[in-house]
């Protein structure tokens, strides 16, 4: 199993020892980029369309530790966020 297979289906930001999705939560899949295959918890945003884009902290993007991976909700499938690029973190 490589790192990509290991990360697939795990929840972004969850504790490494318990990163499995929970049945009482709603998730969107991150597609492409450094966080490809991870799940983003969107439970608090399922009834609204207010979460259109996210900038997620990651150490494995172009800008290294503290950098951000930028994802945008797919217009035709709100359960997927497509990667748009990386950005440096705030200093």
């Amino acid at each position: 199993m490589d790192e990509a297979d290991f990360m697939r289906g795990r929840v972004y930001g969850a504790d490494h020892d318990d990163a499995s999705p929970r049945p009482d939560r709603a998730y969107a899949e991150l597609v492409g980029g450094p966080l490809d295959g991870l799940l983003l918890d969107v439970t608090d945003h399922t009834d609204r369309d207010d979460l259109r884009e996210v900038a997620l902290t990651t150490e494995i993007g172009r800008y290294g530790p503290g950098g951000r991976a930028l994802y945008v909700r797919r217009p035709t499938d709100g359960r997927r966020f497509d990667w748009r690029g990386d950005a440096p973190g705030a200093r």
Side-chain angles (χ1 to χ4, degrees), residues 33-88:
L35 304 177
D36 184 50
L38 288 179
L39 301 175
L40 179 66
D41 188 335
V42 295
T43 302
D44 296 334
H45 302 280
T46 55
D47 294 332
R48 303 182 307 275
D49 190 30
D50 63 345
L51 186 63
R52 293 186 185 97
E53 57 188 49
V54 293
L56 303 171
T57 303
T58 181
E59 296 180 359
I60 58 177
R62 177 179 177 193
Y63 294 95
R68 307 285 194 266
L70 309 174
Y71 287 85
V72 177
R73 184 185 296 260
R74 191 177 288 181
T76 58
D77 182 358
R79 294 172 299 173
R80 298 189 191 282
F81 278 66
D82 294 312
W83 181 62
R84 290 296 180 247
D86 293 330

